[in-house]
Structures are given as structure tokens and as C-alpha cells.
Amino acid sequence: MILRISDLEVHYGHRRRRRAVLSGVSLSVSPGEIVGIVGETGSGKSTLARAVLGLVRASAGRIVVDGEDVTGYRARQWRSLRRRGVLQYVFQDPLRSLDPDLTVRDSLVEPLLVSGVPRAEAAERARKYLSRVRLEEELLDRLPGRLSGGQRQRVAVARALVTEPRLVILDEPVSALDSANRVQILEIVKELRASGVAFVFISHDLGSVAGIADRIAVLYQGELVETGPARAVITSPEHPYTRLLVSSAPTLRTASAGRAERDALRALLDS
Ligand SMILES: Nc1ncnc2c1ncn2[C@@H]1O[C@H](COP(=O)(O)OP(=O)(O)O)[C@@H](O)[C@H]1O
Ligand SMILES: [Mg+2]
């Protein structure tokens, strides 16, 4: 397993304002696997991503990345793990994954230099991953502010990949993109899976995860209510919330019932 999360709990706030945002979350990811995490806004998806990346603290449970128990890691240990490049991420807004003051070249080269790769080799790898995400070399000297949204997100993907990580966390990577860019990013992710990289692919839209994930985990109000092979989750969802997601996804709707059932499911969940 490249990632093993067990009984994860995360709280926000403190004292009387303290509330659980994630509880009892268990999930494993194998090398070369794409695990989709779906759930509505506020269900805790980004919190889960942030916990795995060491950006929020787990109040209970365990997170093991590539055999290393990172649960109690302090800032210094996280920096060391990041420097080794085992784990990378892409956020919805590429401006949050990219430094606006670094050219594309420097964004790609910097994580390699930090991990001790010689400059010439780093430059070579930067070019390699730029072409992997189907961008032209002439973009190497641009700042992120001078790229289109789709180009920027592809640079963010290249930057995540350049250290040749074993696991990449993608938090709504295509939600802000038009459909052409969306399709391209999904294709790039599929190609990389073939080379053994594992992905956690987060989306509020079951439709965009359905075509790419090997397994799907459904997050509802901070708990994983259903996890299974993508096909099984989509064709025979067990939890009412998953059924609601399937019947609400435009591209999947044919596989399920219409509006009357959606209303009934919503009423059941709200009760
Ligand atoms: N830094 C924070 N402090 C307090 N509450 C937060 C913080 N970040 C997120 N939340 C709350 O935690 C819940 C889950 O948020 P989030 O993980 O961002 O969900 P999602 O990514 O699924 O939309 C939401 O109710 C949100 O308001
Ligand atoms: Mg989010």
C-alpha cells in the first residue's frame, strides 16, 4: 500500500466550538491505483487531503505513507518527507499550487534542486514533464500569471510529477477547467497511472471521477459511507447518498432513476 488511512478523525475549532469534520475515515491506496473521493461541498474532502499532506493535524487515527507512519510528524519531519518527493499535490486553484513569482522553469526545477538533483538533470526532467502535460517548451520562461487557466493547471500537474512521486493528491484538479482541458488532464493522469503512480482524485462531481477512478470512496458529512470498485459504486450504489450522487450526475443519469427518486433520496437523507 502506498497510503493507508485508518480511523482518521480531524476536528476544527477548539473548546466548545470544536467539531468533528472527519470521523472514522479508513482508506487504502495501492501503487498505480486511482482512488476517487466524491462528496458534496463541505463534506470534508479537502480536509482529508490536507490531513494526508500534513497541513492539518489528525486528532485520532493513523496515516501511513509509503510504509512511513506520518501521523505524529512535526513540521521538520514533513519538510524532510516533502523533500524526498514521495508525496505531491495539485489543488483546484493552480495559483495555490504554484508560486506566482517563479517562472514555469523555476517551478519545475526548484523541487528537484531542493532534493539534491544536479541542475542539468533537473532542467532535463523539467522539459520531460512539460511535454508529458502537453505544453510547449517556449512556456518555460513564463510566469503563471501569463498562462491560461488550463496551461497553469497543467504546469501544476507537471510540478507535482517532476519529483517522480509515488502518490499524488489531486483536490478538484479539473473543477475550474473547461471541458477540453478537463479531458486532457484526465488523460494525463491515466497515462501516469500506467507508470505506477497512485492518485487520490477528489471531486464534488461523481461524473468526472467515474471515468478515471479504479475505486470510489463516497464522503458524506465527514464519514466514508461507501467504498468500492468504481463500476460497482456507479451501477449498484448501496448508500442513499451515493444513489443521490449517481442520479444527479448528468453523464450517469441514464443508469438510474429520475427526479422523483432524487427527491425521495434527498428527503430520506435530510430526515
Ligand atoms: N480551517 C478551517 N477551520 C474551521 N472549519 C473549517 C476549516 N476548513 C474547512 N472547515 C469546515 O470543515 C468542513 C469541511 O470542509 P472541506 O474539507 O473544505 O470540505 P470540501 O472540500 O468537501 O468542500 C466544512 O464545514 C468547512 O466549513
Ligand atoms: Mg474542497
Side-chain angles (χ1 to χ4, degrees):
M1 287 298 159
I2 186 69
L3 174 66
R4 194 188 295 275
I5 301 173
S6 9
D7 294 319
L8 178 67
E9 239 177 80
V10 174
H11 288 80
Y12 282 132
H14 54 271
R15 303 255 177 92
R16 285 166 63 188
R17 290 259 174 78
R18 193 173 136 93
R19 69 187 182 94
V21 174
L22 292 177
S23 47
V25 171
S26 297
L27 183 72
S28 293
V29 181
S30 307
E33 187 180 36
I34 302 178
V35 175
I37 296 182
V38 294
E40 64 201 342
T41 301
S43 56
K45 304 182 299 297
S46 293
T47 300
L48 181 55
R50 293 165 61 79
V52 173
L53 294 165
L55 303 173
V56 295
R57 240 173 54 86
S59 31
R62 252 162 171 270
I63 302 174
V64 179
V65 176
D66 201 16
E68 200 169 324
D69 187 340
V70 302
T71 322
Y73 269 18
R74 304 196 173 274
R76 188 173 47 80
Q77 292 163 299
W78 273 111
R79 272 199 300 280
S80 150
L81 184 70
R82 290 204 193 95
R83 204 171 299 134
R84 278 173 280 144
V86 174
L87 179 66
Q88 293 288 358
Y89 57 88
V90 176
F91 295 132
Q92 173 172 352
D93 175 4
L95 293 178
R96 283 188 57 210
S97 322
L98 295 174
D99 184 332
D101 298 324
L102 292 185
T103 61
V104 170
R105 181 195 315 278
D106 289 341
S107 277
L108 297 180
V109 161
E110 189 207 57
L112 293 171
L113 297 181
V114 165
S115 61
V117 174
R119 186 169 285 276
E121 191 188 326
E124 189 48 49
R125 261 211 255 165
R127 278 195 294 277
K128 171 175 159 191
Y129 280 94
L130 199 70
S131 86
R132 276 263 177 119
V133 299
R134 316 195 198 342
L135 290 175
E136 305 292 330
E137 272 195 31
E138 65 207 40
L139 296 184
L140 279 169
D141 293 310
R142 293 245 191 119
L143 289 171
R146 301 214 33 244
L147 300 171
S148 73
Q151 288 174 329
R152 225 179 261 158
Q153 191 61 305
R154 277 183 278 163
V155 172
V157 171
R159 184 197 150 280
L161 296 169
V162 80
T163 58
E164 304 187 334
R166 306 210 51 215
L167 174 66
V168 183
I169 311 286
L170 306 164
D171 188 358
E172 310 253 12
V174 299
S175 300
L177 303 179
D178 60 41
S179 62
N181 275 300
R182 191 172 292 189
V183 168
Q184 282 207 340
I185 298 260
L186 296 177
E187 278 174 3
I188 292 162
V189 170
K190 277 196 221 169
E191 270 172 34
L192 287 152
R193 164 178 55 188
S195 57
V197 186
F199 292 89
V200 171
F201 191 108
I202 295 174
S203 178
H204 65 274
D205 169 30
L206 180 59
S208 57
V209 167
I212 191 171
D214 300 300
R215 279 190 303 133
I216 292 178
V218 180
L219 195 60
Y220 180 62
Q221 298 183 348
E223 293 181 34
L224 285 182
V225 294
E226 183 159 0
T227 305
R231 177 179 289 273
V233 169
I234 289 158
T235 58
S236 47
E238 281 174 13
H239 192 274
Y241 180 64
T242 316
R243 299 216 302 271
L244 181 70
L245 284 181
V246 172
S247 66
S248 310
T251 50
L252 303 175
R253 205 173 289 160
T254 47
S256 73
R259 185 133 86 96
E261 201 208 359
R262 287 204 293 286
D263 290 346
L265 288 166
R266 182 46 85 183
L268 179 66
L269 287 163
D270 288 343
S271 65

